[in-house]
Amino acid sequence: LLLNSPYGPRDVWNRLPRTVQEQIVVKRLRLYVIDASRVAREAGLGVRTNTTLQTCFFALSGVLPKQAAIDRVKQSIEQRYAKQGENVLRANREAVDRALNELHEVAIPHAATGTIDLLDFVPQNAPEFVRRVTAPMLAGKGDALPVGAMPVDGTYPSGTAAFEKRNVSDLVAIWDPGLCIQCGLCSFVCPHSVIRAKYCDDAKFADAPASFKSAPMNVRGFPGVRYSLAFSIEDCTGCGWCVEICPAQNPVVSGKKAVNLEEKAPILEQSRDGLAFFEKLPVNNRSLVDFAHVRGVQFLEPTFEFSGACEGCGETPYLKVLSQLFGDRLQVANATGCSSIYGANLPVTPWAVNAEGRGPAWSNSLFEDNAEFGLGFRLAVDKHREIARDLLTDLTPEIGEPLVREILDAPQIEESEIRAQRARVANLKAKLLDIHDDRAHQLLSLADLLVKRSIWIVGGDGWAYDIGYGGLDHVLATGRDLNVLVLDTEVYSNTGGQASKATPLGAIAQFAAAGKRLPRKDIALQAIAYGNVYVAQIAMGANPQQTLLALREAEAYDGPSLILAYSTCIAHGIEMRHGLRQQDLAVASGFWPLFRFNPAMRAAGENPFRLDSPRPTAAFKEFAYNETRYKALTRLRPAEAEVLAQAEQDEILKKYAQYETMAAAAVD
């Protein structure tokens, strides 16, 4: 048994649960231990332990003579990572050598001596379904569940990912309230919804655990109010995005910020106590939160949390913010792809409900028909709402003219307006219970549709640019009020990294091994050509505020909208911790200009096209050559790489000039 553990050969035995010790003794196993996570970090591999553990496996297994096995591992490294440069090769070679020095056999007693029990797969206070169905699946015993345990209609409870504490990282985000400027950026970009913020009166913190962190609210108009950030460190993947985005630097200790990655083990127990206390604090009133700024959005509950996506995933932060803004009335049609896998990786799902018990309705259809699937959502909601309004009008004498008029004429753009409509509908439902009429019973089943639904069609570039493009174009052309969010990784991320029509000129991918020879498809301009489609291009790492503004404008626009969200991906061959920096470089180089096309601006006599990023300030190579998908070609075919890079640079300047012309155009 080879174990990756921070505990050495003298300590690790007493850290094992007794049931594990018993199996080791009964099966007469030999136990070896290595701190592969530390070896990988010190070798420069970050969280990647595969080379270290693979080396140990071959050294112990006897599949080949030990030295022959190690030689084969090193040969494999040369072949596998040659495209990624000398630094990657050197780090992997060092990991091999360190692995053999750090590998130790553990002396095993004749009998189990431990006093530690295995942790339950889910907490004892988890919902009944989670304990009865989810827990056995997590334990690898799902095949033993009877058919009757499964939901009869195929629906699964929301928010079950919160009970799967995966503890995948030794290094986790730690907050320093003394340095924090309370900007909300760390919470905004966190790919796994690990960071939450609340503000409450000082009195609410009177019973806080000694280790609980908070600070006085630093905004005018909030006297006697404290601010707190909570970190669910058992769900933290250690991606480091919160550290990268944090603007608050320690003036004394170089490299330290208000958020830092530190060892989890010493603070695990106290963090559980702190999180439990934080969750008991009152949830901030949505109608009093400033939706217009990142600083305010941090106080909105996410209803997309703790997904199993890659650490530092570039897609999930957009979904998290979407859920914060519209989650209690959100309906999502999700194309097959990465977002459908981490979105419904049963037995758990990250789509959750808020403190009021409301959350998104989510479903996945096929890869190719997602746009049509989402249009079906819109058509069904519109028809049900039409029937509800007609029934409400017919029942005016029984319900009362004032309430009927208020419901039918209510504006539903701002959150305060949405919540006011919810209150009216609750009043309506109470009245309907006392009306003995079949129409009242029918209206009761449809009344919630009188609160505005937010319909979003979500998928990747493989769906939007390629296989599902015909349907997407059709749906945008209907003029219906629905929103499309494209999580653009510029490659088929979920199925092995094949090129899509979003793959850029010069990038290597499956089916484009010598570098793609044509520019990426510009579906933004194609959608803008309709004239009545809201279109935006966003990149959270470059401009979080513009990202927030585009999502809110798209949802408020009474018509179709298309948002292209730049999403860094492990398939790009980057250090995932630097994903936000790479997004910023994509924008700075002009490769991914930020803009918004809002047809509603024409009514105000303004140009509907807004260019939100400045002229390129960095060369394309500064952005591209941080990524293996571009850099590899410079080693394989340097002359061709140079030609393609220059072609992409020319394309960038040409495209940006086109956008500048559009932004400067006079209003028709």
Side-chain angles (χ1 to χ4, degrees):
L1 173 61
L2 173 63
L3 187 63
N4 175 18
S5 170
Y7 304 109
R10 294 182 180 179
D11 300 325
V12 70
W13 178 258
N14 291 325
R15 298 282 184 171
L16 295 176
R18 186 178 181 88
T19 54
V20 174
Q21 291 182 347
E22 289 170 349
Q23 290 191 59
I24 291 173
V25 171
V26 169
K27 296 176 181 178
R28 294 195 230 174
L29 301 181
R30 296 176 70 182
L31 174 62
Y32 292 84
V33 66
I34 181 173
D35 190 348
S37 299
R38 178 177 56 79
V39 170
R41 287 198 302 271
E42 293 177 355
L45 292 176
V47 299
R48 298 178 181 89
T49 60
N50 57 313
T51 295
T52 307
L53 292 173
Q54 183 185 62
T55 301
C56 295
F57 166 77
F58 280 111
L60 295 172
S61 66
V63 173
L64 291 171
K66 180 177 178 180
Q67 191 54 52
I70 300 306
D71 291 342
R72 292 287 185 91
V73 170
K74 289 185 175 180
Q75 290 172 18
S76 174
I77 287 170
E78 299 298 326
Q79 295 170 359
R80 183 175 182 182
Y81 300 117
K83 296 178 181 179
Q84 299 190 26
E86 184 57 34
N87 289 340
V88 174
L89 287 171
R90 188 185 306 112
N92 278 277
R93 292 188 202 112
E94 184 176 345
V96 171
D97 295 334
R98 280 174 171 263
L100 298 177
N101 293 329
E102 299 280 350
L103 179 63
H104 302 285
E105 186 168 7
V106 179
I108 300 175
H110 295 295
T113 59
T115 58
I116 301 172
D117 292 326
L118 272 174
L119 294 176
D120 294 327
F121 280 92
V122 299
Q124 288 299 315
N125 62 350
E128 190 265 345
F129 179 88
V130 173
R131 287 183 280 108
R132 182 173 56 87
V133 178
T134 305
M137 290 183 177
L138 293 175
K141 299 177 181 178
D143 288 348
L145 288 170
V147 173
M150 297 296 104
V152 67
D153 60 355
T155 62
Y156 261 70
S158 297
T160 47
F163 301 101
E164 183 191 25
K165 299 303 180 187
R166 294 184 296 140
N167 285 291
V168 295
S169 179
D170 298 327
L171 297 178
V172 295
I174 305 296
W175 180 49
D176 182 349
L179 285 177
C180 182
I181 61 173
Q182 303 175 16
C183 63
L185 286 170
C186 61
S187 169
F188 193 78
V189 304
C190 178
H192 295 273
S193 307
V194 167
I195 308 173
R196 312 290 176 90
K198 287 181 181 178
Y199 63 87
C200 298
D201 293 338
D202 284 342
K204 299 290 185 182
F205 294 85
D207 298 327
S211 61
F212 187 79
K213 297 176 181 178
S214 65
M217 192 81 165
N218 67 1
V219 179
R220 288 184 179 180
F222 288 83
V225 173
R226 296 191 73 80
Y227 168 90
S228 183
L229 277 182
F231 291 73
S232 182
I233 66 172
E234 292 189 272
D235 300 291
C236 179
T237 64
C239 71
W241 275 31
C242 52
V243 181
E244 291 295 309
I245 199 72
C246 179
Q249 301 276 352
N250 189 315
V252 178
V253 183
S254 177
K256 286 291 185 179
K257 296 185 174 184
V259 182
N260 304 282
L261 290 183
E262 299 179 16
E263 290 284 348
K264 175 172 64 180
I267 56 138
L268 179 56
E269 290 303 324
Q270 68 185 42
S271 77
R272 288 171 176 157
D273 294 338
L275 186 62
F277 175 80
F278 179 87
E279 290 174 345
K280 293 177 182 177
L281 293 173
V283 174
N284 297 123
N285 188 334
R286 287 177 63 88
S287 63
L288 301 179
V289 169
D290 180 8
F291 278 64
H293 297 93
V294 170
R295 186 182 185 118
V297 171
Q298 67 179 312
F299 300 112
L300 299 175
E301 286 180 280
T303 51
F304 177 86
E305 58 184 13
F306 315 139
S307 78
C310 301
E311 90 278 353
C313 174
E315 296 184 358
T316 52
Y318 298 109
L319 295 175
K320 190 271 301 292
V321 173
L322 197 72
S323 79
Q324 288 176 289
L325 295 173
F326 317 118
D328 59 351
R329 53 193 181 87
L330 185 64
Q331 285 188 222
V332 179
N334 208 135
T336 302
C338 280
S339 54
S340 76
I341 303 306
Y342 59 65
N345 191 16
L346 295 182
V348 299
T349 173
W351 293 101
V353 296
N354 60 20
E356 297 174 335
R358 297 191 181 98
W362 182 98
S363 191
N364 158 243
S365 183
L366 302 176
F367 190 27
E368 65 273 15
D369 73 353
N370 187 52
E372 298 92 325
F373 184 53
L375 177 61
F377 282 12
R378 180 76 271 170
L379 296 177
V381 167
D382 287 350
K383 186 60 180 178
H384 287 155
R385 192 164 183 266
E386 177 188 332
I387 295 171
R389 291 174 68 88
D390 289 344
L391 288 169
L392 183 62
T393 302
D394 291 345
L395 291 168
T396 298
E398 291 84 354
I399 297 169
E401 176 76 25
L403 180 58
V404 171
R405 251 326 95 209
E406 287 177 3
I407 291 174
L408 293 177
D409 298 339
Q412 298 189 62
I413 301 297
E414 301 294 334
E415 183 65 21
S416 57
E417 296 170 344
I418 296 291
R419 295 189 77 79
Q421 182 74 338
R422 282 200 192 283
R424 295 185 195 102
V425 169
N427 188 10
L428 168 66
K429 290 164 77 172
K431 287 178 176 288
L432 291 173
L433 292 173
D434 295 328
I435 300 174
H436 302 292
D437 187 314
D438 287 343
R439 293 174 300 172
H441 181 73
Q442 188 178 2
L443 179 54
L444 192 60
S445 70
L446 296 171
D448 287 329
L449 274 299
L450 295 167
V451 177
K452 181 184 177 184
R453 295 286 176 93
S454 187
I455 310 296
W456 286 82
I457 301 171
V458 174
D461 50 276
W463 158 71
Y465 287 70
D466 288 0
I467 295 175
Y469 177 72
L472 174 61
D473 182 61
H474 167 71
V475 167
L476 294 177
T478 65
R480 292 279 186 168
D481 183 16
L482 43 74
N483 311 285
V484 179
L485 174 62
V486 180
L487 303 166
D488 197 339
T489 64
E490 304 176 328
V491 69
Y492 283 83
S493 300
N494 187 53
T495 52
Q498 298 90 345
S500 78
K501 292 186 181 69
T503 301
L505 180 69
I508 285 179
Q510 299 283 349
F511 309 133
K516 189 158 176 277
R517 301 307 168 108
L518 294 172
R520 54 182 273 120
K521 180 178 180 178
D522 195 336
I523 64 171
L525 284 180
Q526 292 175 353
I528 287 172
Y530 276 115
N532 68 329
V533 178
Y534 179 98
V535 184
Q537 197 156 276
I538 63 178
M540 182 175 285
N543 192 331
Q545 185 61 37
Q546 189 259 1
T547 295
L548 173 61
L549 182 60
L551 290 171
R552 295 183 67 235
E553 284 184 346
E555 207 273 341
Y557 176 64
D558 187 16
S561 69
L562 172 66
I563 294 184
L564 306 176
Y566 189 73
S567 305
T568 43
C569 178
I570 197 169
H572 295 171
I574 64 170
E575 177 58 56
M576 294 300 285
R577 174 169 179 171
H578 303 314
L580 293 172
R581 186 187 311 172
Q582 197 62 5
Q583 289 187 30
D584 193 25
L585 276 172
V587 173
S589 68
F591 172 78
W592 189 266
L594 307 180
F595 57 78
R596 291 167 293 133
F597 177 82
N598 189 350
M601 300 298 292
R602 281 206 184 96
E606 298 183 33
N607 185 338
F609 188 84
R610 299 291 177 90
L611 190 53
D612 293 323
S613 55
R615 288 179 177 176
T617 58
F620 170 68
K621 289 182 180 179
E622 290 183 53
F623 154 70
Y625 287 175
N626 291 324
E627 304 186 0
T628 302
R629 60 174 176 162
Y630 294 107
K631 189 68 174 175
L633 199 61
T634 66
R635 289 185 286 274
L636 298 174
R637 303 184 179 188
E640 293 182 34
E642 185 62 34
V643 170
L644 290 173
Q646 186 57 53
E648 181 62 50
Q649 182 69 71
D650 295 342
E651 179 69 19
I652 285 171
L653 297 177
K654 175 184 174 183
K655 185 71 68 175
Y656 198 87
Q658 182 180 4
Y659 289 146
E660 281 192 316
T661 300
M662 293 169 63
V667 181
D668 295 336

